[in-house]
Coordinates of all heavy atoms in Angstrom, one line a residue:
V1 N 244.6 103.8 167.7 CA 244.5 104.1 166.3 C 244.0 102.9 165.6 O 244.5 101.8 165.8 CB 245.9 104.5 165.7 CG1 245.8 104.7 164.2 CG2 246.4 105.8 166.3
Y2 N 243.0 103.1 164.7 CA 242.4 102.1 163.9 C 242.7 102.4 162.4 O 242.4 103.6 162.0 CB 240.9 101.9 164.1 CG 240.6 101.5 165.5 CD1 240.6 102.5 166.6 CD2 240.3 100.3 165.8 CE1 240.3 102.1 167.8 CE2 240.0 99.9 167.1 CZ 239.9 100.8 168.1 OH 239.7 100.4 169.4
G3 N 243.4 101.6 161.7 CA 243.7 101.8 160.3 C 242.6 101.2 159.4 O 242.1 100.1 159.7
S4 N 242.4 101.8 158.2 CA 241.3 101.3 157.4 C 241.7 100.0 156.8 O 240.8 99.2 156.3 CB 241.1 102.3 156.2 OG 242.3 102.5 155.5
A5 N 243.0 99.5 156.8 CA 243.3 98.2 156.3 C 243.1 97.1 157.4 O 243.3 95.9 157.0 CB 244.7 98.2 155.9
G6 N 242.8 97.5 158.6 CA 242.4 96.5 159.6 C 243.3 96.5 160.8 O 243.0 95.7 161.8
A7 N 244.4 97.3 160.9 CA 245.2 97.3 162.1 C 244.6 98.1 163.2 O 244.0 99.2 163.0 CB 246.6 97.9 161.7
K8 N 244.8 97.6 164.4 CA 244.5 98.3 165.7 C 245.8 98.5 166.4 O 246.5 97.6 166.7 CB 243.5 97.5 166.5 CG 243.2 98.1 167.8 CD 242.1 97.2 168.6 CE 241.7 97.8 169.9 NZ 240.8 97.0 170.6
L9 N 246.2 99.8 166.8 CA 247.5 100.1 167.2 C 247.4 100.8 168.6 O 246.5 101.7 168.8 CB 248.3 101.0 166.3 CG 248.4 100.5 164.8 CD1 249.0 101.6 163.9 CD2 249.3 99.2 164.7
D10 N 248.4 100.6 169.4 CA 248.7 101.5 170.5 C 249.8 102.4 169.9 O 250.9 102.0 169.7 CB 249.2 100.8 171.7 CG 249.7 101.8 172.8 OD1 249.7 103.0 172.6 OD2 249.9 101.3 173.9
P11 N 249.5 103.7 169.6 CA 250.4 104.6 168.9 C 251.6 105.0 169.7 O 252.6 105.5 169.1 CB 249.6 105.8 168.5 CG 248.5 105.9 169.6 CD 248.2 104.4 170.0
T12 N 251.6 104.9 171.0 CA 252.7 105.3 171.8 C 254.0 104.5 171.5 O 255.1 104.9 171.8 CB 252.4 105.2 173.3 OG1 252.0 103.9 173.7 CG2 251.2 106.2 173.6
G13 N 253.8 103.2 171.1 CA 255.0 102.4 170.7 C 255.7 102.7 169.4 O 256.9 103.1 169.5
P14 N 255.0 102.6 168.3 CA 253.7 102.0 168.2 C 253.7 100.5 168.3 O 254.7 99.9 167.9 CB 253.2 102.5 166.8 CG 254.5 102.6 166.1 CD 255.5 103.1 167.0
T15 N 252.6 100.0 168.8 CA 252.5 98.5 168.9 C 251.2 98.0 168.3 O 250.1 98.6 168.5 CB 252.4 98.2 170.5 OG1 253.6 98.7 171.1 CG2 252.4 96.7 170.7
L16 N 251.3 97.0 167.5 CA 250.2 96.4 166.9 C 249.4 95.5 167.9 O 250.0 94.5 168.4 CB 250.6 95.5 165.7 CG 249.5 94.8 164.9 CD1 248.6 95.8 164.2 CD2 250.1 93.8 163.9
L17 N 248.2 95.9 168.1 CA 247.3 95.1 169.1 C 246.6 94.0 168.5 O 246.1 93.1 169.2 CB 246.4 96.1 169.8 CG 247.1 97.2 170.5 CD1 246.0 98.2 171.2 CD2 248.0 96.7 171.6
G18 N 246.4 94.0 167.2 CA 245.6 93.0 166.5 C 245.2 93.5 165.1 O 245.4 94.7 164.8
T19 N 244.6 92.6 164.4 CA 244.2 92.9 163.1 C 242.7 92.4 162.8 O 242.5 91.2 163.1 CB 245.1 92.3 162.0 OG1 246.4 92.8 162.2 CG2 244.7 92.7 160.6
Y20 N 241.9 93.2 162.3 CA 240.6 92.8 161.8 C 240.7 92.2 160.5 O 240.8 92.9 159.4 CB 239.6 94.0 161.9 CG 239.5 94.6 163.2 CD1 240.3 95.7 163.5 CD2 238.6 94.2 164.1 CE1 240.2 96.4 164.8 CE2 238.5 94.8 165.4 CZ 239.3 95.9 165.7 OH 239.2 96.4 167.0
E21 N 240.7 90.8 160.5 CA 241.1 90.1 159.2 C 239.9 90.2 158.2 O 238.7 90.1 158.6 CB 241.3 88.6 159.5 CG 242.6 88.4 160.4 CD 243.9 88.8 159.7 OE1 243.8 89.0 158.5 OE2 244.9 88.9 160.4
S22 N 240.2 90.3 157.0 CA 239.2 90.4 155.9 C 238.6 89.0 155.6 O 239.3 88.1 155.4 CB 239.8 90.9 154.6 OG 240.3 92.2 154.9
P23 N 237.3 88.9 155.6 CA 236.6 87.6 155.3 C 236.9 87.3 153.8 O 236.9 86.1 153.3 CB 235.2 87.8 155.6 CG 235.0 89.3 155.5 CD 236.2 89.8 156.0
T24 N 237.0 88.3 152.9 CA 237.3 88.2 151.5 C 238.2 89.3 151.2 O 238.3 90.3 151.8 CB 236.0 88.2 150.6 OG1 235.4 89.5 150.8 CG2 235.1 87.1 151.0
F25 N 238.8 89.2 150.0 CA 239.7 90.3 149.6 C 238.9 91.5 149.1 O 238.0 91.3 148.3 CB 240.7 89.9 148.5 CG 241.5 91.0 147.9 CD1 242.6 91.5 148.6 CD2 241.1 91.6 146.7 CE1 243.3 92.6 148.1 CE2 241.8 92.7 146.3 CZ 242.9 93.2 146.9
S26 N 239.2 92.6 149.6 CA 238.4 93.8 149.1 C 239.3 95.1 149.5 O 239.9 95.0 150.6 CB 237.1 93.9 149.8 OG 236.4 95.1 149.3

């Protein structure tokens, strides 16, 4: 699962696999 705020998840946990960090606030 990819969330529009930047989270990448394994939903079976759910477990956070990482975050696509914003270069600027938006």
